Amino acid sequence: MEHHKHESTDLNHFRERLSAHMAKKGLRSTDQRRLIVETFFRAPNHISIEELLSDVRAQDPKVGYATVYRTLKLLTECGVAFERRFGDGLTRYELADEEAHHDHLICVECGKITEFEEPKIEALQESIASKYGFLLRSHKHEMYGVCPECQAKATRARRASS
Amino acid sequence: MEHHKHESTDLNHFRERLSAHMAKKGLRSTDQRRLIVETFFRAPNHISIEELLSDVRAQDPKVGYATVYRTLKLLTECGVAFERRFGDGLTRYELADEEAHHDHLICVECGKITEFEEPKIEALQESIASKYGFLLRSHKHEMYGVCPECQAKATRARRASS
DNA sequence: CTCATTGCAAATAATTTGCATGTAA
DNA sequence: TTACATGCAAATTATTTGCAATGAG
């Protein structure tokens, strides 16, 4: 069940946000940037630089590492992408889709990432932030545990060894 | 308001958890390990390896980088410490104090970290985990925003420039 | 005695940067 | 034509590892 992030998302909104940011900063639209951005939009969620680079190189083998890093930093700065760091040592990126905001359940055994949404938590967050006088910009909520499959696997292993 | 993590915490509980883990794995108790562990217990929360190393070296200048890394990894493995990665590129450690569990509000301007606790969110997390069949181990909940001081600063700056 | 541990330095890994060359605007 | 952008390789940063010497049990 590979899921792609654009299914229900208005990408033009993000394209415009990026153009606005680039215009304001006097940055230029290049073949590489367009390719990287559109590839990112089409990619599965939580993509790493490595994975994205290899998708990009499938279309244009000459694109360099640094350009992907620089472009993703650009997307992060203008609020089109979020950086995420789960337990493995790499940074992953996702579309900054505030509307359909989701958080993450991460299996500590197999690394599988499950997304969830809980409006009640979102509401509580706002009330906590205002209690401390914070102006909320974004958040990260990650829950670590053992997924059903790995629990079953562990049970089976225990049974076999006894 | 520097606050230290041992004020209300039963450190012996953690010392025992560590000994048990070390006994089970046949690991040895050395001067360096004891020094690093006790220094960590006394340190302010969210300490980085660098900071911890410098505290440790104030007591014994010969202790090496690698030993601190190795010892903190040990503490993490046996559930005495948690690793945390906020926005800056370094790993910070905190006591795995599940009882007085707190989450974090991080100021995106000045980096200040404020801790908060919200039992209602903890409860909701359990219900979400069980909905997906996950066995919950731990979680991270970080909210990013602008702290009251930085909001005031921004307002002042705006006023000055107009 | 034996094998884990240490400190050091070298090795990795992820990310960033300097620079000569290319190219939007 | 004028900066900004690119690709490459070298530099940086955080962390890990190999190894000879040390020390715990």
Side-chain angles (χ1 to χ4, degrees), chain B residues 6-25:
Chain B
H6 63 301
E7 279 158 14
S8 59
T9 304
D10 177 16
L11 290 175
N12 284 326
H13 168 64
F14 290 112
R15 292 193 183 96
E16 279 158 28
R17 198 188 295 188
L18 175 60
S19 307
H21 178 80
M22 288 177 65
K24 192 169 60 188
K25 294 242 183 177

Side-chain angles (χ1 to χ4, degrees), chain A residues 23 30 34 55 79 86 111 125 140 142 150:
Chain A
T30 64
R34 282 187 299 270
D55 282 13
F86 301 111
Q125 291 186 135
K140 249 180 240 188
E142 289 151 23
C150 290

Side-chain angles (χ1 to χ4, degrees), chain A residues 125 137 140-142 144, chain B residues 125 138 140-142 144:
Chain A
Q125 291 186 135
R137 286 274 182 78
K140 249 180 240 188
H141 191 170
E142 289 151 23
Y144 295 84
Chain B
Q125 291 185 133
S138 67
K140 244 178 245 187
H141 191 170
E142 289 151 23
Y144 295 84

Side-chain angles (χ1 to χ4, degrees), chain B residues 28 30 32-33 63-64 67 70:
Chain B
R28 292 167 188 178
T30 65
Q32 292 92 327
R33 269 185 193 163
V63 175
T67 305
R70 289 187 272 232

